[in-house]
Amino acid sequence: MELQTLTYCVVGATFLLYIGIALKSRASSTGEFYVAGGGVHPVANGMATAADWMSAASFISMAGLIAFNGYGGSVFLMGWTGGYVLLALLLAPYLRKFGKFTVPEFIGDRYYSKVARIVAVVCLILASVTYVIGQMKGIGVAFARFLETPYETGLFVGMGIVFVYAVLGGMKGITYTQIAQYVVLIFAYTVPAIFISLNLTGNPIPQLGLGGTVADGTYLLDKLDQVVTDLGFKEYTTQTMGNQLNMFAYTLSLMIGTAGLPHVIIRFFTVPKVKDARLSAGWALVFIAILYTTAPSVASMARLNLTNTIQSGPIGEADGNLKYEDRPQWFKNWETTGLLRHNDKNKDGRIQYYNTSNKEFASVAENAGWRGNELEHIPFGKEAKDAKAGPDNDIIVLANPEIANLPNWVIALVVAGGLAAALSTAAGLLLAISSAISHDLLKGVFKPDISEKDELKAGRISMIGAIVVAGYFGLNPPDFAAGTVAIAFGLAASSIFPVLMMGIFYKRMNRAGAISGMVAGIGVTMLYVFQHKGIMFIPGTAFLGDMPENWFLGITPNAFGAVGALVNFLVAFIVSNRTAPPPVEVQQLVENIRIPKGSAGPATDH
């Protein structure tokens, strides 16, 4: 069966599965719509949490980021996994014990303030909408290439699928759909990795293949270092993303941003007991680790295959370089998307691929008749004149099976996995946005006497509105769309994480401190991002230049969430200690949240 037909069959089958689960799990109450009735088994919740958390950024983009940043890309592995551990240990059990539906509801009650709740809703929406943009691009990339549809068509189809199982099913439908999506995405990620590891190193276990040897007896990473340095790039195993401070800030921003993501936190409200929240966190970490320990292998092997396929000859041996007319089929396929194209700058009909930002190397290349790197991509929504150097990072995982000449069924499976990852997280984010509007703003602030039926209706209407807004941003991404996921984590890090931590572990924290901290943290982060949007560092680019002089200590906008979080903590602490302390009952509430059930304290389990 030809690839496109097979892909339609596999993707169509998974979509029918998701819709069928959603219809069977239709929410009939606000409890089922927001937290799936609070009765999800810890193992099932762990699997759903893993799918909710592993977005298109994890499935499609992360390996590409690592592939083109080498060691520097490890900030995503350390930040996202470390942040999940932080969330599981320091936030999830206590928030579950509090027994509310949403993060803004916790903030509103903990800080005895409707204003604090409204500010939290605004911060949540800003972070979640920014995050959704990345999911929409993942959907568009997969559809554009493998289903041979325009990017816009892919987005509309994805929006329609999310509409059915998110709006109708709510959290109950999303939970069981995400379990199915996890099975699809993890199978789709690991199967091609096993094939490629076996082909390159003879070891079917990708994690071990990464440390193995290739056909000529050279260690895979040593071979990759040699290949990329021959083209003027930094060594794969030593390349960094800016200076050491930026690496640290980037990792920290992703870590605390992960721990502050509302759509992940809300998953821990779906289990029956506090103990189950801890268990589901542990299971989720197991399920997440399967993909995250595989990603470095996928990235390294894909970069080696990509480079060897395109650029085979050194400088001065023009006939050793691949003729454009002899380019492989996978290259032709991706050319139709604009995410990979050849710009024959020296008109020799061959492909030259090297790092033009390496001035010394570029000088030698030009003396040999080369006129610059000839591989580039056109970002979605841009014109050909706006092309950027190198292949689009997001094609690495999707193109990897094609580059390695794997069977069509594996390629089709990868497409289904990428769409599952994007759709699962998009649904979780949209539910977080919807609940913030209907439950936290409408019921919590403006219309507290609303009936459960009307609140459920409002939640569904809010979800539809959120889908429309997400689709708009997917079709018209802001200037910083390429770094959207990292910025979304930065916004969560600078606004939500500090008030949750201090709300649980600092009794003296009051409403004035919480409001001031959130406004200051997200304000300084957004100001920095927008100030530098025209010169923003794009994560994953293979052509890193010098850091702009006006970046604060060399910290990139995508990493600035860590600085925003520090500002939030400092402002909140100072304001809280210069204003009246919280009421006694609020301080007692904090004690009750932290003291385990059955201890000498007065804590209760909700």
Short mmCIF file of all heavy atoms in Angstrom, two decimals, residues 384-429:
data_model
loop_
_atom_site.label_atom_id
_atom_site.label_comp_id
_atom_site.label_asym_id
_atom_site.label_seq_id
_atom_site.Cartn_x
_atom_site.Cartn_y
_atom_site.Cartn_z
N ALA A 384 9.03 33.16 0.59
CA ALA A 384 10.32 32.56 0.27
C ALA A 384 11.48 33.48 0.61
O ALA A 384 12.56 33.03 0.99
CB ALA A 384 10.36 32.18 -1.21
N LYS A 385 11.27 34.79 0.48
CA LYS A 385 12.33 35.74 0.79
C LYS A 385 12.69 35.75 2.27
O LYS A 385 13.74 36.26 2.67
CB LYS A 385 11.92 37.15 0.36
CG LYS A 385 10.69 37.69 1.06
CD LYS A 385 10.32 39.07 0.54
CE LYS A 385 9.03 39.59 1.17
NZ LYS A 385 9.13 39.75 2.62
N ASP A 386 11.81 35.18 3.11
CA ASP A 386 12.05 35.14 4.55
C ASP A 386 12.65 33.81 5.00
O ASP A 386 12.62 33.48 6.18
CB ASP A 386 10.73 35.36 5.31
CG ASP A 386 10.09 36.70 4.98
OD1 ASP A 386 10.84 37.69 4.96
OD2 ASP A 386 8.87 36.74 4.76
N ALA A 387 13.19 33.04 4.04
CA ALA A 387 13.74 31.72 4.36
C ALA A 387 14.86 31.83 5.40
O ALA A 387 15.63 32.79 5.40
CB ALA A 387 14.26 31.06 3.09
N LYS A 388 14.94 30.82 6.25
CA LYS A 388 15.99 30.76 7.27
C LYS A 388 16.93 29.61 6.95
O LYS A 388 16.56 28.64 6.31
CB LYS A 388 15.36 30.58 8.65
CG LYS A 388 14.51 31.76 9.08
CD LYS A 388 14.01 31.58 10.50
CE LYS A 388 13.18 32.78 10.95
NZ LYS A 388 14.00 34.00 11.01
N ALA A 389 18.17 29.74 7.45
CA ALA A 389 19.20 28.75 7.13
C ALA A 389 18.90 27.40 7.76
O ALA A 389 18.38 27.31 8.87
CB ALA A 389 20.56 29.25 7.60
N GLY A 390 19.24 26.34 7.05
CA GLY A 390 19.13 24.98 7.56
C GLY A 390 17.74 24.40 7.44
O GLY A 390 16.76 25.12 7.21
N PRO A 391 17.61 23.09 7.59
CA PRO A 391 16.28 22.45 7.60
C PRO A 391 15.50 22.90 8.83
O PRO A 391 16.08 23.25 9.86
CB PRO A 391 16.59 20.95 7.66
CG PRO A 391 18.05 20.83 7.34
CD PRO A 391 18.69 22.10 7.77
N ASP A 392 14.18 22.90 8.75
CA ASP A 392 13.36 23.17 9.92
C ASP A 392 13.57 22.05 10.93
O ASP A 392 13.51 20.87 10.60
CB ASP A 392 11.89 23.24 9.51
CG ASP A 392 10.99 23.72 10.64
OD1 ASP A 392 10.85 22.97 11.63
OD2 ASP A 392 10.42 24.81 10.54
N ASN A 393 13.82 22.42 12.18
CA ASN A 393 14.10 21.41 13.22
C ASN A 393 12.98 20.40 13.38
O ASN A 393 13.21 19.24 13.73
CB ASN A 393 14.34 22.10 14.57
CG ASN A 393 15.51 23.05 14.53
OD1 ASN A 393 16.49 22.79 13.86
ND2 ASN A 393 15.41 24.16 15.24
N ASP A 394 11.75 20.86 13.15
CA ASP A 394 10.60 20.01 13.42
C ASP A 394 10.43 18.85 12.45
O ASP A 394 9.56 18.00 12.64
CB ASP A 394 9.31 20.85 13.44
CG ASP A 394 9.24 21.76 14.65
OD1 ASP A 394 10.00 21.53 15.61
OD2 ASP A 394 8.44 22.70 14.64
N ILE A 395 11.24 18.80 11.39
CA ILE A 395 11.09 17.69 10.45
C ILE A 395 11.90 16.46 10.87
O ILE A 395 11.71 15.38 10.32
CB ILE A 395 11.50 18.09 9.01
CG1 ILE A 395 13.03 18.15 8.86
CG2 ILE A 395 10.84 19.39 8.60
CD1 ILE A 395 13.49 18.32 7.43
N ILE A 396 12.81 16.62 11.84
CA ILE A 396 13.75 15.55 12.16
C ILE A 396 13.05 14.24 12.51
O ILE A 396 13.32 13.19 11.93
CB ILE A 396 14.69 15.99 13.29
CG1 ILE A 396 15.80 16.88 12.74
CG2 ILE A 396 15.33 14.78 13.98
CD1 ILE A 396 16.77 16.18 11.82
N VAL A 397 12.16 14.27 13.49
CA VAL A 397 11.51 13.03 13.93
C VAL A 397 10.61 12.47 12.84
O VAL A 397 10.59 11.25 12.60
CB VAL A 397 10.70 13.28 15.23
CG1 VAL A 397 9.81 12.08 15.55
CG2 VAL A 397 11.64 13.55 16.39
N LEU A 398 9.86 13.33 12.16
CA LEU A 398 8.95 12.86 11.13
C LEU A 398 9.68 12.36 9.89
O LEU A 398 9.23 11.42 9.22
CB LEU A 398 7.98 13.98 10.75
CG LEU A 398 7.05 14.47 11.88
CD1 LEU A 398 6.21 15.64 11.40
CD2 LEU A 398 6.16 13.35 12.38
N ALA A 399 10.82 12.98 9.56
CA ALA A 399 11.57 12.57 8.37
C ALA A 399 12.52 11.41 8.65
O ALA A 399 12.95 10.71 7.72
CB ALA A 399 12.38 13.76 7.82
N ASN A 400 12.84 11.19 9.91
CA ASN A 400 13.83 10.18 10.29
C ASN A 400 13.56 8.80 9.69
O ASN A 400 14.45 8.17 9.12
CB ASN A 400 13.92 10.10 11.81
CG ASN A 400 15.25 9.55 12.29
OD1 ASN A 400 16.21 9.45 11.53
ND2 ASN A 400 15.30 9.18 13.55
N PRO A 401 12.33 8.27 9.79
CA PRO A 401 12.07 6.94 9.21
C PRO A 401 12.25 6.92 7.69
O PRO A 401 12.70 5.93 7.12
CB PRO A 401 10.61 6.67 9.60
CG PRO A 401 10.36 7.54 10.78
CD PRO A 401 11.18 8.77 10.54
N GLU A 402 11.89 8.03 7.03
CA GLU A 402 12.06 8.11 5.58
C GLU A 402 13.55 8.12 5.21
O GLU A 402 13.98 7.46 4.27
CB GLU A 402 11.41 9.38 5.04
CG GLU A 402 9.90 9.35 5.02
CD GLU A 402 9.35 10.59 4.33
OE1 GLU A 402 9.36 11.67 4.97
OE2 GLU A 402 8.93 10.50 3.16
N ILE A 403 14.33 8.92 5.96
CA ILE A 403 15.77 9.01 5.68
C ILE A 403 16.41 7.64 5.83
O ILE A 403 17.31 7.26 5.07
CB ILE A 403 16.44 10.03 6.63
CG1 ILE A 403 15.87 11.43 6.40
CG2 ILE A 403 17.95 10.06 6.43
CD1 ILE A 403 16.33 12.45 7.41
N ALA A 404 15.96 6.88 6.82
CA ALA A 404 16.53 5.56 7.10
C ALA A 404 15.90 4.46 6.25
O ALA A 404 16.21 3.27 6.46
CB ALA A 404 16.36 5.23 8.59
N ASN A 405 15.01 4.81 5.32
CA ASN A 405 14.36 3.84 4.43
C ASN A 405 13.59 2.76 5.19
O ASN A 405 13.65 1.57 4.84
CB ASN A 405 15.40 3.18 3.50
CG ASN A 405 16.00 4.16 2.52
OD1 ASN A 405 15.29 4.97 1.91
ND2 ASN A 405 17.32 4.12 2.38
N LEU A 406 12.87 3.17 6.22
CA LEU A 406 12.07 2.22 6.98
C LEU A 406 10.76 1.94 6.24
O LEU A 406 10.36 2.71 5.35
CB LEU A 406 11.79 2.76 8.37
CG LEU A 406 13.01 3.01 9.26
CD1 LEU A 406 12.57 3.40 10.68
CD2 LEU A 406 13.93 1.78 9.32
N PRO A 407 10.06 0.86 6.59
CA PRO A 407 8.80 0.52 5.90
C PRO A 407 7.76 1.62 6.03
O PRO A 407 7.75 2.39 7.00
CB PRO A 407 8.35 -0.76 6.62
CG PRO A 407 9.59 -1.33 7.22
CD PRO A 407 10.46 -0.16 7.57
N ASN A 408 6.85 1.66 5.08
CA ASN A 408 5.82 2.70 5.08
C ASN A 408 4.95 2.67 6.32
O ASN A 408 4.49 3.71 6.80
CB ASN A 408 4.93 2.55 3.83
CG ASN A 408 5.60 3.10 2.58
OD1 ASN A 408 6.63 3.78 2.66
ND2 ASN A 408 5.03 2.83 1.42
N TRP A 409 4.70 1.48 6.86
CA TRP A 409 3.83 1.41 8.03
C TRP A 409 4.48 2.09 9.24
O TRP A 409 3.77 2.66 10.09
CB TRP A 409 3.44 -0.03 8.36
CG TRP A 409 4.56 -0.91 8.87
CD1 TRP A 409 5.37 -1.71 8.14
CD2 TRP A 409 4.97 -1.07 10.24
NE1 TRP A 409 6.28 -2.36 8.95
CE2 TRP A 409 6.04 -1.99 10.25
CE3 TRP A 409 4.54 -0.54 11.45
CZ2 TRP A 409 6.69 -2.37 11.43
CZ3 TRP A 409 5.18 -0.91 12.62
CH2 TRP A 409 6.24 -1.83 12.61
N VAL A 410 5.80 2.08 9.30
CA VAL A 410 6.49 2.76 10.40
C VAL A 410 6.35 4.27 10.23
O VAL A 410 6.11 5.01 11.19
CB VAL A 410 7.98 2.37 10.44
CG1 VAL A 410 8.70 3.14 11.54
CG2 VAL A 410 8.12 0.87 10.66
N ILE A 411 6.49 4.74 8.99
CA ILE A 411 6.35 6.17 8.71
C ILE A 411 4.94 6.65 9.05
O ILE A 411 4.76 7.70 9.69
CB ILE A 411 6.68 6.46 7.23
CG1 ILE A 411 8.12 6.05 6.91
CG2 ILE A 411 6.47 7.94 6.91
CD1 ILE A 411 8.47 6.11 5.44
N ALA A 412 3.94 5.87 8.67
CA ALA A 412 2.55 6.22 8.96
C ALA A 412 2.31 6.24 10.47
O ALA A 412 1.59 7.10 10.99
CB ALA A 412 1.61 5.22 8.29
N LEU A 413 2.92 5.31 11.17
CA LEU A 413 2.77 5.23 12.63
C LEU A 413 3.35 6.48 13.30
O LEU A 413 2.77 7.02 14.25
CB LEU A 413 3.47 3.98 13.15
CG LEU A 413 3.38 3.72 14.66
CD1 LEU A 413 1.93 3.49 15.07
CD2 LEU A 413 4.23 2.50 15.03
N VAL A 414 4.49 6.95 12.79
CA VAL A 414 5.11 8.15 13.36
C VAL A 414 4.21 9.36 13.20
O VAL A 414 4.09 10.19 14.10
CB VAL A 414 6.50 8.41 12.71
CG1 VAL A 414 7.05 9.76 13.13
CG2 VAL A 414 7.47 7.31 13.10
N VAL A 415 3.56 9.48 12.05
CA VAL A 415 2.63 10.59 11.84
C VAL A 415 1.50 10.53 12.86
O VAL A 415 1.14 11.54 13.48
CB VAL A 415 2.04 10.54 10.41
CG1 VAL A 415 1.12 11.73 10.20
CG2 VAL A 415 3.14 10.54 9.38
N ALA A 416 0.93 9.35 13.05
CA ALA A 416 -0.16 9.19 14.02
C ALA A 416 0.32 9.54 15.42
O ALA A 416 -0.41 10.16 16.21
CB ALA A 416 -0.68 7.75 13.98
N GLY A 417 1.57 9.17 15.74
CA GLY A 417 2.12 9.49 17.05
C GLY A 417 2.32 10.98 17.25
O GLY A 417 2.01 11.51 18.33
N GLY A 418 2.82 11.66 16.23
CA GLY A 418 3.01 13.10 16.34
C GLY A 418 1.69 13.83 16.52
O GLY A 418 1.59 14.76 17.33
N LEU A 419 0.67 13.41 15.80
CA LEU A 419 -0.65 14.02 15.94
C LEU A 419 -1.25 13.71 17.31
O LEU A 419 -1.90 14.57 17.91
CB LEU A 419 -1.56 13.52 14.82
CG LEU A 419 -1.23 14.04 13.42
CD1 LEU A 419 -2.05 13.31 12.37
CD2 LEU A 419 -1.45 15.54 13.32
N ALA A 420 -1.03 12.49 17.80
CA ALA A 420 -1.54 12.13 19.13
C ALA A 420 -0.92 13.02 20.20
O ALA A 420 -1.61 13.49 21.12
CB ALA A 420 -1.23 10.66 19.43
N ALA A 421 0.39 13.27 20.09
CA ALA A 421 1.08 14.10 21.07
C ALA A 421 0.55 15.53 21.04
O ALA A 421 0.28 16.14 22.09
CB ALA A 421 2.59 14.09 20.80
N ALA A 422 0.39 16.06 19.83
CA ALA A 422 -0.09 17.44 19.70
C ALA A 422 -1.53 17.57 20.18
O ALA A 422 -1.88 18.52 20.91
CB ALA A 422 0.03 17.89 18.25
N LEU A 423 -2.39 16.63 19.79
CA LEU A 423 -3.80 16.72 20.14
C LEU A 423 -4.03 16.51 21.64
O LEU A 423 -4.88 17.17 22.23
CB LEU A 423 -4.61 15.70 19.34
CG LEU A 423 -4.69 15.95 17.83
CD1 LEU A 423 -5.34 14.75 17.13
CD2 LEU A 423 -5.46 17.22 17.53
N SER A 424 -3.28 15.60 22.26
CA SER A 424 -3.49 15.31 23.68
C SER A 424 -3.18 16.53 24.54
O SER A 424 -3.93 16.88 25.45
CB SER A 424 -2.62 14.13 24.12
OG SER A 424 -1.25 14.42 23.98
N THR A 425 -2.06 17.20 24.24
CA THR A 425 -1.70 18.37 25.02
C THR A 425 -2.60 19.56 24.69
O THR A 425 -2.97 20.32 25.58
CB THR A 425 -0.23 18.76 24.76
OG1 THR A 425 0.59 17.64 25.10
CG2 THR A 425 0.18 19.95 25.59
N ALA A 426 -2.95 19.71 23.42
CA ALA A 426 -3.86 20.80 23.05
C ALA A 426 -5.18 20.68 23.81
O ALA A 426 -5.72 21.69 24.30
CB ALA A 426 -4.10 20.78 21.54
N ALA A 427 -5.68 19.46 23.92
CA ALA A 427 -6.95 19.25 24.63
C ALA A 427 -6.81 19.63 26.10
O ALA A 427 -7.69 20.29 26.68
CB ALA A 427 -7.38 17.79 24.50
N GLY A 428 -5.70 19.22 26.73
CA GLY A 428 -5.49 19.56 28.13
C GLY A 428 -5.37 21.05 28.34
O GLY A 428 -5.92 21.61 29.31
N LEU A 429 -4.67 21.72 27.46
CA LEU A 429 -4.51 23.17 27.57
C LEU A 429 -5.83 23.90 27.37
O LEU A 429 -6.16 24.84 28.10
CB LEU A 429 -3.49 23.65 26.52
CG LEU A 429 -2.04 23.27 26.77
CD1 LEU A 429 -1.22 23.46 25.49
CD2 LEU A 429 -1.44 24.11 27.89
#
